[in-house]
Amino acid sequence: MSVQEIVSFIIMGIGIAFMLVGIIGMFQPKKDFYYRLLVACKIDTIGLLTIGIGLAIRHGFSFFTGKIILIIIIIMVLNPLVAHIIAQAAYRSGYVSICKDGDSFDH
Amino acid sequence: MAIALTTEILLVFWVVNAIWIVFAKKTYRVMIFFGVFSLITSVIYLFLGAPDVAMAEAGISAFATIFFIVCIEKYYSRGSGLKAEMASAAKPRNYFKLVAAFAFVAMLCGLFIFFVPTTTEYAYTELRDLYLFQFMRDVGGRNAVTAIYLGYRVYDTLFEALLLVTAVVAVIHLSWFDRTIVADGRHSEVERSRMTKFAMRIVCPIILLFGMYLVMNGHISAGGGFLGGLAFALFLVCRFMVLGVYDLPIEKAMKLEELVFINIIILPIFAIFTGFIYFYGYATEMFQNIYLIAMNFLVGLKVAFGFFVLFYRYIAIERLPDKEEVVEAFDDGED
């Protein structure tokens, strides 16, 4: 196993760890919609990003890597936008955050 | 060998999941199980060596799950409410289920990351080898899946297109569409933020381009009519939802869909059933490619208009202000 493969496996493992932590965060006892949306967006963006980077390192310099980099750029631009649209729609439909201004996210 | 074993484990889990779907007590749980079912199906397709069918399955299941959940929410918003159902379903936490879910997700992730990219092996290969041996001579093109659904199994494709037509007609005529007042030139009433609009103006043409690429290269690489049609439908839906463009009224879309369906029937009649394109090596490669591209394009348009009409009917039109009359009419009919 070359150095390239080991590094890529480590980076992809970090991505899977991010996804697991995000899923645990989505099952938190305090069911706040916006908190969960934040966590879900983290899963999509950072998890997919790290896994994509790991794949790109693993395959070296090739056409396949170019496609992966294109996908990474699209995810980086569009995923936060999607979270923004969902949050905006939820705010307009009248979802209220459970967390108050002072004590947000410290439970 | 390992792939075959994994496929068998997934098939067992598939059956278990189907039993869960049948015996689930809450409707939204049925929808979630249905999504998991489609996920497992697409993984199995991937292991059996059909990546484009797996892609189409994943895309269509994501679309369908959103439809179903929106419908359930609308249905319950008349009476007890989805929130009430979800609150009644809230129980003390079951950590075993959580751990099982984590294990399942970790298993799938591990399969995808460490296993699939390192191998080109597929599960059961006898029938696959047979088709791969002779499809280029019989149907043409370089994609065996396209050769199967546009050549060997073209009857299946015709009936699948008929199924979509029937679904659209049933949805339109059973959902009191003629009592809904739809004016031409009406926009989506939701005003999106400027950031969203700016990004969508850039992304929408790219989605259309990607759909065209999938359709035009369907016979030589992964892709095809159904998948490209989904991309077309996404283009139309994004334009309506985000930019508020309503230049394709629902009646026109329905007419176009029926027209395209007639063409889908006519083209194989003249190309395949007369033996002009298909089999026996009569046709040149150019004619075969023209047939495959035209058929993929028609199927793509068909899927695009079908999903677009369903989307309008379920999500867009009932959000419009003249919703009250429809609800009244429906209640009268029920009583």
Side-chain angles (χ1 to χ4, degrees):
Chain A
M1 202 183 256
S2 64
V3 180
Q4 200 181 359
E5 285 195 341
I6 293 171
V7 169
S8 69
F9 277 150
I10 289 171
I11 291 177
M12 284 191 272
I14 291 173
I16 291 176
F18 263 112
M19 284 191 169
L20 271 179
V21 169
I23 293 168
I24 292 170
M26 279 177 73
F27 278 99
Q28 53 133 3
K30 205 172 179 181
K31 291 188 175 172
D32 186 22
F33 177 77
Y34 296 100
Y35 187 95
R36 286 182 169 191
L37 184 65
L38 181 73
V39 174
C41 183
K42 288 290 171 296
I43 295 175
D44 280 353
T45 314
I46 299 182
L48 276 179
L49 212 83
T50 37
I51 288 176
I53 290 171
L55 272 177
I57 289 175
R58 184 180 164 143
H59 278 264
F61 187 76
S62 67
F63 187 64
F64 185 74
T65 310
K67 285 196 270 190
I68 288 178
I69 288 171
L70 193 67
I71 291 173
I72 286 175
I73 290 171
I74 289 174
I75 285 172
M76 272 176 69
V77 173
L78 284 190
N79 242 334
L81 193 75
V82 170
H84 160 74
I85 294 172
I86 296 173
Q88 200 186 26
Y91 180 73
R92 281 193 181 131
S93 326
Y95 274 94
V96 181
S97 176
I98 299 172
C99 304
K100 297 209 175 61
D101 291 339
D103 61 355
S104 54
F105 306 144
D106 57 351
H107 51 274
Chain B
M1 210 55 221
I3 287 273
L5 189 67
T6 318
T7 311
E8 277 157 17
I9 293 171
L10 280 176
L11 281 171
V12 171
F13 196 74
W14 207 43
V15 175
V16 172
N17 205 335
I19 295 171
W20 280 355
I21 291 176
V22 173
F23 288 104
K25 292 212 171 73
K26 311 281 177 190
T27 33
Y28 72 92
R29 270 188 201 168
V30 175
M31 290 309 115
I32 300 299
F33 283 149
F34 186 68
V36 176
F37 187 81
S38 292
L39 173 71
I40 297 171
T41 315
S42 77
V43 175
I44 289 173
Y45 281 147
L46 186 65
F47 284 168
L48 290 178
D52 38 2
V53 186
M55 278 160 76
E57 174 74 32
I60 289 175
S61 75
F63 230 80
T65 310
I66 292 170
F67 274 151
F68 287 145
I69 286 178
V70 168
C71 289
I72 289 173
E73 202 167 348
K74 282 191 174 185
Y75 176 72
Y76 279 112
S77 66
R78 274 205 208 112
S80 55
L82 186 64
K83 277 181 199 161
E85 188 190 333
M86 288 176 84
S88 74
K91 275 187 281 188
R93 330 196 69 201
N94 190 342
Y95 285 99
F96 176 71
K97 274 187 190 170
L98 268 185
V99 170
F102 286 154
F104 181 63
V105 171
M107 188 188 84
L108 277 186
C109 288
L111 279 179
F112 271 113
I113 302 304
F114 298 111
F115 204 42
V116 174
T118 59
T119 179
T120 53
E121 179 196 356
Y122 293 121
Y124 303 101
T125 55
E126 293 84 6
L127 204 58
R128 181 171 170 271
D129 291 341
L130 180 68
Y131 278 128
L132 285 184
F133 178 66
Q134 61 188 19
F135 82 91
M136 277 194 195
R137 188 199 63 200
D138 286 347
V139 189
R142 269 182 279 154
N143 186 352
V145 176
T146 307
I148 286 172
Y149 85 80
L150 292 182
Y152 296 113
R153 304 256 169 149
V154 73
Y155 292 106
D156 276 359
T157 307
L158 292 186
F159 277 97
E160 193 145 347
L162 181 67
L163 200 72
L164 195 52
V165 168
T166 315
V168 170
V169 167
V171 164
I172 294 298
H173 289 281
L174 293 182
S175 66
W176 307 85
F177 179 70
D178 47 348
R179 297 201 193 181
T180 318
I181 303 154
V182 186
D184 275 354
R186 180 171 283 154
H187 291 196
S188 165
E189 87 272 28
V190 180
E191 187 65 26
R192 304 283 170 194
S193 65
R194 283 179 65 194
M195 190 166 68
T196 319
K197 282 187 174 177
F198 176 74
M200 271 305 147
R201 276 200 197 101
I202 297 172
V203 169
C204 268
I206 297 177
I207 294 176
L208 187 63
L209 193 68
F210 182 59
M212 291 297 287
Y213 164 77
L214 284 178
V215 166
M216 290 301 165
N217 284 314
H219 63 298
I220 51 175
S221 70
F226 289 98
L227 211 51
L230 271 179
F232 287 160
L234 264 182
F235 168 72
L236 293 170
V237 166
C238 282
R239 272 171 87 225
F240 179 78
M241 287 294 283
V242 178
L243 304 177
V245 180
Y246 186 77
D247 54 359
L248 183 67
I250 187 166
E251 294 89 356
K252 250 184 216 172
M254 283 170 63
K255 282 263 165 55
L256 282 172
E257 197 210 356
E258 285 154 11
L259 213 67
V260 170
F261 178 64
I262 292 171
N263 278 316
I264 285 181
I265 292 180
I266 286 174
L267 190 57
I269 285 177
F270 281 112
I272 280 192
F273 300 152
T274 56
F276 181 60
I277 295 293
Y278 182 40
F279 285 142
Y280 317 125
Y282 286 153
T284 59
E285 198 181 340
M286 192 186 73
F287 277 118
Q288 286 176 336
N289 282 345
I290 287 174
Y291 165 72
L292 290 176
I293 291 176
M295 202 62 194
N296 263 333
F297 192 71
L298 285 177
V299 170
L301 282 182
K302 170 90 195 51
V303 172
F305 288 133
F307 269 110
F308 187 58
V309 168
L310 287 181
F311 171 81
Y312 259 16
R313 184 65 200 121
Y314 275 128
I315 293 173
I317 284 177
E318 277 193 308
R319 295 277 188 226
L320 295 178
D322 47 13
K323 182 182 164 186
E324 312 297 328
E325 302 169 17
V326 187
V327 174
E328 277 175 16
F330 190 76
D331 286 346
D332 287 343
E334 241 181 1
D335 292 336

